Amino acid sequence: MARPILLLLILLALPALRPACAEVPEHGAPTHGIAMNAGVTHGIAMHGDLALPPDFTAFPYVDPAARKGGTIRQAVTGSFDSLHPHIVKGVPALGLGHVFETLLTRSWDEPFSLYGLLADRVEVAGDRSAVTFRINANARWHDGTPVTAADVLFSLEMQRRHGTPNRRLFYAKVAAAEAPDPQTVRFAFASNADGTIDREMPLLMGLMPIHSKAFWEGRDFNRTTLEPIMGSGPYRIATVDPGRRIVYERVRDYWGRDLPTRLGQFNADRLEFDYYRDDSVALEAFKAGQGDVRYESDPAKWATGYDGPARRDGRIVREELPNRRPEPARGLIFNTRRPIFADLRVRRALGMATDFDWIGRSLFHGLLTRTASYYPNSDLAARGLPEGEELRALEPFRDRLPPELFIRPFTLPDGGTGSGPAGLRANRREALRLLEQAGWRVRDGRLTDAAGNRFAFEILLSDPSEERVALEFTRSLEPLGIDARVRTVDSAQFQGRLDRLEFDMTMRWWASSLSPGNEQLYYYGSEAAGQEGSRNLAGIRDPVVDALARSIAVATTRAELIGRVRALDRVLLWGHYMVPLFHSPVDRIARRSTLHRPVNTPLYGPMLESWWVAP
């Protein structure tokens, strides 16, 4: 599936392009940096110190002199039925993150650090039990009215009542919210059950999407809508063809264009997203000149699909750009709410039956790496045996974890290449042994339980390009007597079934930043397992997972954080909640030669909002 560069994950919406401009702001003088109270730095870092000084003028991965103007077009797959990205209902259009803003914004060259955006001052309590934001006096909605503390408090109320489950989970920790004056808002946080304070909460409040209270008067915040919603960001919606096309135009008098956190970004005058039902058609549209940039997630298309006149004469440029972020942990995810997948032995057995080495060579041209972590491609991934901070995090739960976890590194089954067909046959014999232990037997070529019920399930997909792997997986289960079927539905139906948790198995992913925190409970926590729209697709309900995921947000040092994330990673791996697939160690990007990028690539990989169009 085509997607905007850097599927981040993480954090609360799909990313897309963003442009800026350099004219003098209409409302007052530009504000550079964040002025802080004595003893408080000019931003918030989750751990350690901020990388940028108080007088920084721009992020190091942008070109402050980037050319303004032109159009950036993307040919994407799927559909959309809503322009409201901050509720559970509907499938929002790509690019809406450019319409809405937050109090603070991330530096993508640091694991988790925030600098000023709508807020130009921030004060954090020493124990992180409270945070105070001073709203920039220049901050304006697109109708020219000021952004106020009342808008921030309204946004918190709406997110707590109607936001996605992860936001409702986070913002429930706000014990008190007040506005001492129209430009100041203060949040105090409740203690955890053990008396600790969630150290991530000041940053999460800084990343809360802010909505206009006045705009929503007389409107229902909890309904999908195709009416453009007023924001304060660098773009507004220009035209919409529901499900097919959306166009954004740069806000000419954008209030924040000269902020150091905005300079050199949001450079195109227009952003256009054209939707296609099939990614192969989207690729052909790009090659034919109907798109300017494409993130290629399919190695087969990267290897063979871009040949043509435009590439040969230099109009299309292809690049493989390395990054140091965790890649999405993609896999065939078991819905453990289904009785047939409730037994760990069954889940482990199904992961042993497929020759993934052959799949990697044949379907992906050897360009992908088999995923063996929930945080692949990063130093957060568990490796070897637990030691140091990781072992300290695991030790209290030793009696509730499999003994092998402490004495044997987690490894994926040999898919067959390393030990030949005999190795794959041995894996399948072991899989049958595990299935028999779980109460399943092969009778007349069919795997059944004691009551004669056949082991059968459905794999739910939304992208036809995913069918190749899913079908190979189902074929590999036939020798075990398992009846697995693949069903591909449109994106709206797919998302609806995921939201309602109505599936047996699906091909999906979990994505994390270099500084995981509260979202880990949303991904893997017991409370999230029963929530509609939850990202705990696997239905994980494990007190050990809950405790480890909760401990990550209260880590006080980077070393402590890494150890706790590795501990969680190891426990999830030994839980066999998915059959891991593959990830790419680089970003593969094709672009028109007229689309240019800065010299520096940030820690998280290329950021399209810093690119520009030049003839």
Side-chain angles (χ1 to χ4, degrees):
M1 183 181 198
R3 56 180 176 167
I5 290 178
L6 199 60
L7 186 66
L8 285 166
L9 18 199
I10 352 175
L11 295 174
L12 304 171
L14 285 171
L17 313 173
R18 296 177 181 167
C21 52
E23 298 94 338
V24 177
E26 179 180 332
H27 304 286
T31 301
H32 294 277
I34 308 177
M36 307 300 298
N37 291 346
V40 183
T41 61
H42 59 291
I44 311 175
M46 185 61 198
H47 300 101
D49 298 324
L50 293 164
L52 301 177
D55 59 349
F56 83 99
T57 57
F59 286 132
Y61 49 84
V62 308
D63 182 350
R67 184 181 185 273
K68 302 295 188 287
T71 299
I72 297 179
R73 303 162 299 163
Q74 293 187 75
V76 299
T77 56
S79 183
F80 68 93
D81 60 11
S82 177
L83 301 181
H84 193 348
H86 301 136
I87 57 174
V88 173
K89 300 174 183 178
V91 178
L94 292 173
L96 289 169
H98 306 313
V99 176
F100 304 97
E101 293 188 307
T102 51
L103 293 167
L104 306 178
T105 189
R106 292 187 67 144
S107 165
W108 296 112
D109 210 30
E110 302 174 52
F112 194 8
S113 294
L114 304 183
Y115 297 86
L117 187 52
L118 287 174
D120 61 8
R121 297 186 182 122
V122 56
E123 182 177 0
V124 182
D127 62 356
R128 298 208 174 189
S129 62
V131 62
T132 301
F133 297 98
R134 176 73 176 179
I135 298 170
N136 193 318
N138 299 319
R140 291 293 188 276
W141 297 108
H142 290 159
D143 65 356
T145 58
V147 178
T148 68
D151 296 316
V152 178
L153 295 181
F154 167 80
S155 300
L156 173 63
E157 179 185 0
M158 291 299 100
Q159 290 301 303
R160 294 171 97 172
R161 288 163 54 183
H162 307 302
T164 52
N166 61 325
R167 291 194 176 103
R168 294 201 299 269
L169 182 69
F170 303 159
Y171 301 140
K173 298 183 179 183
V174 178
E178 60 179 352
D181 61 60
Q183 285 184 263
T184 305
V185 62
R186 181 181 184 274
F187 303 107
F189 310 118
S191 300
N192 297 322
D194 60 0
T196 59
I197 293 292
D198 189 335
R199 294 176 53 80
E200 193 180 28
M201 284 306 299
L203 291 90
L204 294 178
M205 300 313 298
L207 291 175
M208 181 175 67
I210 306 302
H211 281 262
S212 166
K213 181 179 179 180
F215 174 85
W216 284 105
E217 289 182 0
R219 295 179 172 93
D220 185 353
F221 191 91
N222 197 35
R223 294 185 61 183
T224 60
T225 181
L226 289 170
E227 175 191 10
I229 300 171
M230 187 169 65
S232 62
Y235 285 95
R236 59 165 59 95
I237 296 172
T239 59
V240 178
D241 184 357
R244 298 180 178 180
R245 189 169 192 259
I246 186 166
V247 178
Y248 301 87
E249 62 183 4
R250 183 159 58 91
V251 177
R252 294 291 176 174
D253 60 348
Y254 171 51
W255 74 272
R257 65 181 63 127
D258 290 325
L259 292 175
T261 52
R262 288 307 199 215
L263 203 63
Q265 303 173 67
F266 320 113
N267 301 310
D269 284 341
R270 289 168 63 88
L271 308 177
E272 300 179 1
F273 294 86
D274 289 303
Y275 281 77
Y276 295 83
R277 295 292 182 181
D278 184 87
D279 188 58
S280 295
V281 178
L283 172 58
E284 293 305 315
F286 169 77
K287 290 163 59 179
Q290 297 174 33
D292 297 303
V293 61
R294 175 180 166 90
Y295 178 101
E296 185 54 76
S297 58
D298 187 338
K301 289 175 181 172
W302 185 257
T304 64
Y306 284 81
D307 192 29
R311 182 186 172 194
R312 289 194 292 269
D313 65 20
R315 282 176 289 152
I316 289 179
V317 178
R318 297 195 316 160
E319 297 180 297
E320 294 188 349
L321 301 175
N323 66 76
R324 293 167 286 165
R325 68 177 184 267
E327 283 298 302
R330 190 177 188 85
L332 290 158
I333 299 173
F334 298 101
N335 185 353
T336 63
R337 305 170 189 86
R338 299 291 202 249
I340 61 170
F341 294 141
D343 194 309
L344 183 150
R345 293 168 296 187
V346 169
R347 302 195 298 270
R348 181 182 172 194
L350 268 61
M352 301 181 71
T354 305
D355 188 346
F356 283 103
D357 292 337
W358 180 88
I359 290 176
R361 295 192 318 273
S362 302
L363 300 185
F364 302 133
H365 298 260
L367 296 175
L368 298 185
T369 300
R370 183 83 192 277
T371 297
S373 169
Y374 284 73
Y375 312 91
N377 196 51
S378 76
D379 63 355
L380 301 174
R383 61 201 70 187
L385 294 175
E387 60 182 9
E389 292 287 353
E390 180 188 356
L391 183 58
R392 278 189 281 276
L394 291 169
E395 196 63 50
F397 312 107
R398 183 180 284 269
D399 61 341
R400 286 180 275 174
L401 294 170
E404 295 84 359
L405 181 147
F406 292 93
I407 61 176
R408 182 157 57 90
F410 179 87
T411 56
L412 297 172
D414 188 337
T417 301
S419 54
L424 186 57
R425 287 195 296 270
N427 284 343
R428 287 175 175 166
R429 286 195 297 271
E430 175 63 13
L432 282 172
R433 186 186 69 83
L434 291 168
L435 290 167
E436 289 178 0
Q437 288 181 358
W440 297 90
R441 299 285 190 280
V442 177
R443 300 177 178 90
D444 299 325
R446 295 185 172 192
L447 189 69
T448 61
D449 61 15
N453 299 308
R454 188 171 188 187
F455 196 113
F457 66 93
E458 177 186 87
I459 303 175
L460 182 68
L461 306 177
S462 67
D463 187 344
S465 68
E466 297 173 336
E467 293 176 354
R468 298 173 301 166
V469 173
L471 289 171
E472 287 296 333
F473 179 69
T474 61
R475 281 191 282 267
S476 72
L477 299 180
E478 292 175 0
L480 303 181
I482 294 173
D483 178 21
R485 302 171 303 280
V486 175
R487 184 179 182 191
T488 304
V489 299
D490 63 55
S491 59
Q493 185 179 356
F494 177 77
Q495 189 60 52
R497 287 187 59 179
L498 287 191
D499 288 344
R500 296 189 300 272
L501 309 175
E502 295 175 355
F503 66 95
D504 300 327
M505 172 182 276
T506 188
M507 189 182 296
R508 208 61 175 158
W509 65 85
W510 286 287
S512 294
S513 72
L514 283 166
S515 186
N518 280 284
E519 79 284 349
Q520 303 302 296
L521 282 168
Y522 176 51
Y523 292 170
Y524 315 119
S526 297
E527 184 178 344
Q531 293 178 342
E532 182 176 312
S534 167
R535 282 290 285 157
N536 186 349
L537 297 175
I540 301 169
R541 295 180 183 271
D542 183 345
V544 175
V545 169
D546 293 343
L548 290 172
R550 192 175 296 111
S551 74
I552 290 170
V554 296
T556 57
T557 67
R558 182 70 185 169
E560 197 173 61
L561 174 87
I562 292 174
R564 294 178 182 185
V565 176
R566 288 180 178 177
L568 175 61
D569 188 28
R570 196 178 300 270
V571 171
L572 292 171
L573 289 169
W574 281 92
H576 296 278
Y577 296 106
M578 71 172 173
V579 178
L581 295 177
F582 301 87
H583 67 273
S584 174
V586 297
D587 288 308
R588 296 184 174 93
I589 299 167
R591 58 178 172 87
R592 293 280 150 190
S593 59
T594 54
L595 186 59
H596 299 263
R597 63 178 179 84
V599 174
N600 297 327
T601 298
L603 183 70
Y604 277 92
M607 304 303 299
L608 194 53
E609 54 261 50
S610 66
W611 293 23
W612 65 91
V613 179

